[in-house]
């Protein structure tokens, strides 16, 4: 219940002291923060019992403390803004390059192909212009945010003439800081991984869209499935089956609906054989088992997609790597590792839990970003590590073997077992080099399959898969490099 108190001037010059005519001339020296009214002590007990009430004489000190807290809160907010602005600039440069390439291709070929591709050309131009407009709007948001932070830093130090007005002013400043923090958080989450996805029979023309290329896995001698994360754009994880010998030749496409856009998509570079070669994908706390449709000569589509949900994964965690057991047998197993976890969990394709393997004793540096699984041996690549850790599931003595790429400074990004040996894909960003190495199952270097370089983020190697004695490296532009010893 909120009561407006009747007041009369106390007669003191300036009118700073007032009394309450409702409660026996008591001083109106309290303030109810919830109701934003000045009250007396009796009114506080009678009508504002469960509200935050404090003395007016305490307001200057309280306002000072809150003002200092606001200034302290602004400092990390400004730093977050700076941190968010740098990757945005890098994203913008990548977007501009994609736009320039798209417009160049359109202008170069539209003269001779105009009759056939006029509709496609207009669609591409509209998409590029729309993105340019979005860039302008995003820049405006950033500049507005900078101005708001500057204004707030200046205004928050102003002190109003009366304690009540000053406190109300501080409250508005507190609300504005919360709004700015939310804006910075939203800006930090902006993603712009723009890649070209080939459109069948359209030559150089492609569709520019928000997409992240996850990697590829061989499912047949002449079929490689590329996995794209398009959840931000359309809510789907998209499978595109291509020919590894001619990546422009697309056999089929298949979308998998998944609305959890925050957890990363991971995939196994091995298939799981259960009648056909199944693909295994992970996102959040789910594993998707994709069964292709076998037409005899090749896989011509997806027969079914089955998902397994693992309730034992905490809400603040998700699957960061998945590895299929080698050699494949019907009803075989796969393993997963999760964020901030010190164990590897093994399951059957049916979803039945098999074992939990404690890896805390191996001193792994961070989360396991790639997981290889051969017989009873696991191979782990961790974030920011130059080593690959090999260990046996039954080994309780924590005796670890390390596979160290022979080229100085190379960083392993993926490992997969072929049934005969380990394939390791490694990158050195500083010199833009990459290679594919073959190791024996026990960890000794066997041969260097391939050594190459990349020019930019478009042709950087993303994943390695295999079929029999050949390895297939998928690049970020979805081209494929075939290697052998």
């Amino acid at each position: 219940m909120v009561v407006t108190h009747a007041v009369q001037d106390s007669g003191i010059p300036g009118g700073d002291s007032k009394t309450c005519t409702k409660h026996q001339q008591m001083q109106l020296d309290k303030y109810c923060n919830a109701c934003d009214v000045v009250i007396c002590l009796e009114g506080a007990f009678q009508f504002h019992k469960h509200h935050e009430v404090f003395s007016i004489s305490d307001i200057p000190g309280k306002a000072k403390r809150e003002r200092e807290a606001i200034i302290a809160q602004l400092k990390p907010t400004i730093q977050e803004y700076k941190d968010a602005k740098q990757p945005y600039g890098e994203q913008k440069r990548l977007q501009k390059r994609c736009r320039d390439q798209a417009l160049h291709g359109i202008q170069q070929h539209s003269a001779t192909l105009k009759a056939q591709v006029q509709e496609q050309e207009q669609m591409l131009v509209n998409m590029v212009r729309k993105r340019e407009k979005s860039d302008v709007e995003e820049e405006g948001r950033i500049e507005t945010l900078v101005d708001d932070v500057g204004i707030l830093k200046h205004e928050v130090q102003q002190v109003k003439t009366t304690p009540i007005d000053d406190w109300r002013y501080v409250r508005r400043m507190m609300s504005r800081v919360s709004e700015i923090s939310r804006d910075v958080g939203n800006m930090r989450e902006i993603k712009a991984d723009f890649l070209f996805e080939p459109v069948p029979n359209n030559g150089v023309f492609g569709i520019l869209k928000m997409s992240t290329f996850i990697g590829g896995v061989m499912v047949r001698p002449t079929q490689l499935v590329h996995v794209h994360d398009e959840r931000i754009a359309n809510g789907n994880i998209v499978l595109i089956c291509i020919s590894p010998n001619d990546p422009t030749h697309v056999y089929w496409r298949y979308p998998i609906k998944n609305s959890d856009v925050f957890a990363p998509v991971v995939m196994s570079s091995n298939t799981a054989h259960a009648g056909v070669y199944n693909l295994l994908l992970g996102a959040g706390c789910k594993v998707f088992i994709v069964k292709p449709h076998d037409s005899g000569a090749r896989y011509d589509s997806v027969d079914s997609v089955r998902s397994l949900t693992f309730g034992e994964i905490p809400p603040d965690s998700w699957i960061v790597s998945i590895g299929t057991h080698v050699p494949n047998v019907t009803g075989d197993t796969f393993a997963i590792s999760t964020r901030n976890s010190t164990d590897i969990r093994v399951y059957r394709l049916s979803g039945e839990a098999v074992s939990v393997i404690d890896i805390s004793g191996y001193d792994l540096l961070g989360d396991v970003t790639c997981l290889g699984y051969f017989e009873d041996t696991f191979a782990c690549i961790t974030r920011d590590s130059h080593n690959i850790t090999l260990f046996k599931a039954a080994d309780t003595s924590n005796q670890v073997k390390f596979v160290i790429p022979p080229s100085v400074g190379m960083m392993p990004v993926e490992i997969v077992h072929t049934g005969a040996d380990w394939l390791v894909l490694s990158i050195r960003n500083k010199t833009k080099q990459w290679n594919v190495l073959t190791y024996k199952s026990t960890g000794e270097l066997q041969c260097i399959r391939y050594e190459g370089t990349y020019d930019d983020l478009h042709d950087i190697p993303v994943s390695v898969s295999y079929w029999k004695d050949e390895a297939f490296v998928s690049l970020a532009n979805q081209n494929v490099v075939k290697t052998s010893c």
Side-chain angles (χ1 to χ4, degrees):
M1 177 179 182
V2 179
V3 175
T4 302
H5 295 269
V7 302
Q8 65 181 25
D9 199 304
S10 63
I12 298 175
D16 292 333
S17 177
K18 297 183 179 182
T19 56
C20 179
T21 56
K22 191 173 183 66
H23 295 107
Q24 301 176 0
Q25 306 300 312
M26 293 190 72
Q27 288 285 332
L28 288 171
D29 58 355
K30 309 295 179 189
Y31 174 76
C32 176
N33 196 40
C35 301
D36 190 20
V37 293
V38 179
I39 58 177
C40 67
L41 180 61
E42 185 68 26
F45 283 107
Q46 187 173 0
F47 302 111
H48 304 267
K49 187 174 181 180
H50 299 293
H51 296 175
E52 181 187 10
V53 176
F54 45 82
S55 298
I56 293 178
S57 61
D58 293 337
I59 287 181
K62 187 175 180 66
K64 180 182 178 182
R65 290 190 297 272
E66 292 295 344
R67 185 175 283 105
E68 292 173 347
I70 290 174
I71 293 174
Q73 187 176 351
L74 278 174
K75 290 181 180 179
T77 301
I78 294 172
Q79 186 59 47
E80 288 181 358
Y81 155 73
K82 292 179 179 178
D83 293 342
K85 186 175 181 179
Q86 182 178 359
Y88 172 77
E90 295 174 358
Q91 293 166 357
K92 183 180 176 182
R93 285 191 292 274
L94 177 60
Q95 294 165 18
K96 183 179 184 304
R97 178 171 179 175
C98 290
R99 289 197 301 268
D100 292 345
Q101 290 179 349
L103 290 172
H104 177 74
I106 294 167
Q107 294 162 359
Q108 180 180 1
H109 294 271
S110 61
T112 56
L113 304 177
K114 191 172 182 178
Q116 294 85 6
V117 300
Q118 186 173 8
E119 181 179 355
Q120 179 78 14
E121 177 187 2
Q122 189 60 50
M123 181 188 69
L124 284 168
V125 172
N126 290 341
M127 292 179 70
V128 171
R129 299 307 183 198
K130 182 178 180 181
R131 187 60 219 180
E132 289 176 338
K133 180 180 178 182
S134 177
D135 282 344
V136 173
E137 293 173 350
E138 203 63 48
E139 287 180 339
R141 286 185 60 217
I142 292 176
E143 294 306 320
T144 300
L145 190 57
V146 174
D147 293 341
D148 287 349
V149 171
I151 293 171
L152 190 57
K153 284 180 63 180
H154 173 72
E155 292 184 349
V156 76
Q157 301 184 48
Q158 300 179 13
V159 179
K160 300 303 179 182
T161 54
T162 67
I164 298 300
D165 290 340
D166 193 39
W167 176 248
R168 291 169 179 165
Y169 181 75
V170 170
R171 285 176 56 178
R172 290 197 298 272
M173 294 299 101
M174 293 166 61
S175 175
R176 185 62 187 128
V177 166
S178 297
E179 293 174 1
I180 290 177
S181 297
R182 285 194 299 270
D183 287 344
V184 170
N186 292 335
M187 185 174 66
R188 193 169 55 247
E189 292 172 0
I190 293 173
K191 295 182 179 179
D193 294 320
F194 289 91
L195 299 173
F196 284 97
E197 177 182 322
V199 176
N201 306 316
N202 280 353
V204 300
F205 293 95
I207 294 179
L208 193 62
K209 61 172 64 179
M210 293 186 70
S211 174
T212 301
F213 179 49
I214 305 303
V217 57
M218 291 292 296
V219 294
R220 278 289 183 89
T222 59
Q223 289 186 289
L224 172 68
V225 176
H226 277 167
V227 180
H228 299 257
D229 179 5
E230 297 183 3
R231 293 174 299 174
I232 293 179
N234 54 44
N236 290 312
I237 302 169
V238 180
L239 310 182
I240 304 178
C241 183
I242 65 169
S243 166
N245 301 314
D246 178 12
T248 63
H249 181 75
V250 177
Y251 291 105
W252 47 264
R253 301 165 185 256
Y254 190 86
I256 301 174
K257 198 71 178 175
N258 182 255
S259 59
D260 183 3
V261 299
F262 297 105
V265 176
V266 296
M267 60 176 290
S268 173
S269 293
N270 292 95
T271 55
H273 190 267
V276 294
Y277 291 100
N278 295 265
L279 288 78
L280 270 68
L281 311 173
C285 61
K286 288 185 177 182
V287 168
F288 297 92
I289 301 175
V290 182
K291 179 183 178 182
H293 181 266
D294 190 354
S295 64
R298 64 176 64 91
Y299 295 152
D300 58 1
S301 63
V302 170
D303 191 356
S304 64
V305 178
R306 182 164 53 92
S307 66
L308 305 174
T309 302
F310 302 101
E312 56 268 36
I313 299 177
D316 60 344
S317 182
W318 50 79
I319 298 171
V320 293
S321 61
I322 181 170
T324 307
H325 183 248
V326 177
N328 290 150
V329 295
T330 302
D332 213 338
T333 58
F334 64 92
I336 63 171
S337 65
T338 56
R339 177 178 178 266
N340 295 333
S341 176
T342 58
D343 56 46
I344 292 174
R345 297 177 177 270
V346 180
Y347 300 89
R348 298 196 185 280
L349 293 180
S350 62
E352 175 190 356
V354 176
S355 62
V356 178
I357 302 166
D358 182 15
I359 59 175
S360 59
Y362 293 105
D363 296 326
L364 301 178
L365 300 176
D367 294 334
V368 177
T369 55
C370 184
L371 184 61
Y373 185 16
F374 169 65
E375 294 183 344
D376 63 343
T377 300
F378 290 93
C380 297
I381 297 176
T382 56
R383 199 178 309 278
D384 299 326
S385 174
H386 289 262
N387 297 327
I388 299 174
T389 305
L390 293 179
F391 61 89
K392 291 186 179 294
D395 182 13
T396 58
S397 61
N398 291 345
Q399 294 183 2
V400 180
K401 294 181 179 179
F402 294 98
V403 177
I404 304 177
S407 303
V408 177
M410 300 296 282
M411 181 79 71
V413 295
E414 187 157 14
I415 183 168
V416 59
H417 203 283
T418 67
D421 43 40
W422 296 105
L423 287 178
V424 177
L425 171 64
S426 300
I427 296 175
R428 189 181 187 189
N429 289 323
K430 187 175 181 179
T431 56
K432 295 187 176 181
Q433 295 173 285
W434 65 276
N435 61 29
V436 178
L437 310 176
T438 299
Y439 293 88
K440 295 180 181 179
S441 297
T442 52
E444 295 85 5
L445 178 63
Q446 189 166 330
C447 73
I448 300 176
R449 280 179 170 261
Y450 188 87
E451 292 181 300
T453 59
Y454 61 92
D455 295 326
D456 53 35
L457 294 179
H458 285 86
D459 60 352
I460 192 172
V462 175
S463 67
V464 61
S465 186
Y466 70 92
W467 190 268
K468 294 187 176 179
D469 58 347
E470 290 186 311
F472 299 83
V473 179
S474 295
L475 308 182
N477 55 16
Q478 286 96 72
N479 285 331
V480 180
V481 176
K482 185 163 61 173
T483 73
S484 60
C485 277

